[in-house]
Amino acid sequence: MLGRLVKWLRVIGQDVIYGQHLSGYGLIRAARAEGRLILTRDGHLKHKQPPPFLFIHSDHYRDQLRQVITACGLKPGQAMFTRCIECNAGLQAKSKESVAGAVPPYVFSSQEKFSWCPACHRIFWAATHQQKMLQELKNLGLS
Ligand SMILES: [Zn+2]
């Protein structure tokens, strides 16, 4: 239910874990073990003596993102595009030479900076979708 919010938080560089296994007491255990803040839409969580949590009010990811950024005092512009959106690992810089053949030819010829995810091995580069994300944050008044 919070999937889009999770991706957006990773876009701005936040360390966020998410998945089917993170529900009920599994969620509480993981949050305690890793010292994490729980983001939840589950109104019953508070009855389970959870560690610190933030109840997300809205169904809409834009409102959710705004709520989390405000509540946690995040600075969205500081670490954008430093984390893999899919698996949460920190991205590492990769030289242009090393991605030859691994990215489409037009990307290779038009881009200079690449990074990659050591966990899922995806390669990232500045592209139009990053521009759109920046624009979206601007539209939300969050950049
Ligand atoms: Zn990844």
Side-chain angles (χ1 to χ4, degrees):
M1 201 146 35
L2 296 176
R4 278 186 98 172
L5 173 64
V6 169
K7 288 198 175 179
W8 271 98
L9 287 171
R10 287 175 183 163
V11 164
I12 62 171
Q14 294 301 309
D15 176 3
V16 189
I17 59 170
Y18 182 70
Q20 299 269 316
H21 63 296
L22 297 173
S23 65
Y25 288 103
L27 174 69
I28 290 170
R29 258 195 308 275
R32 277 221 181 88
E34 300 185 31
R36 290 175 180 275
L37 173 70
I38 294 175
L39 306 178
T40 186
R41 292 277 292 139
D42 177 5
H44 299 295
L45 184 75
K46 61 177 180 285
H47 303 301
K48 295 174 183 166
Q49 298 179 310
F53 71 99
L54 180 63
F55 179 75
I56 304 294
H57 299 285
S58 176
D59 284 329
H60 303 284
Y61 81 92
R62 288 189 176 95
D63 296 331
Q64 294 171 347
L65 185 62
R66 194 178 280 125
Q67 184 192 352
V68 174
I69 286 173
T70 304
C72 298
L74 304 179
K75 304 265 183 291
Q78 281 181 353
M80 284 193 76
F81 312 120
T82 57
R83 191 170 290 280
C84 181
I85 293 170
E86 297 302 329
C87 63
N88 196 45
L91 298 181
Q92 296 174 356
K94 211 155 172 52
S95 70
K96 180 165 175 149
E97 297 73 42
S98 70
V99 301
V103 299
Y106 73 92
V107 169
F108 187 77
S109 61
S110 63
Q111 300 292 321
E112 295 303 321
K113 283 191 168 170
F114 296 88
S115 56
W116 83 304
C117 172
C120 72
H121 298 178
R122 279 185 180 82
I123 297 170
F124 297 86
W125 57 89
T128 47
H129 73 271
Q130 286 194 1
Q131 293 306 316
K132 282 188 192 139
M133 287 175 178
L134 284 168
Q135 190 56 50
E136 173 108 28
L137 286 174
K138 247 187 209 127
N139 294 345
L140 289 168
L142 295 175
S143 69

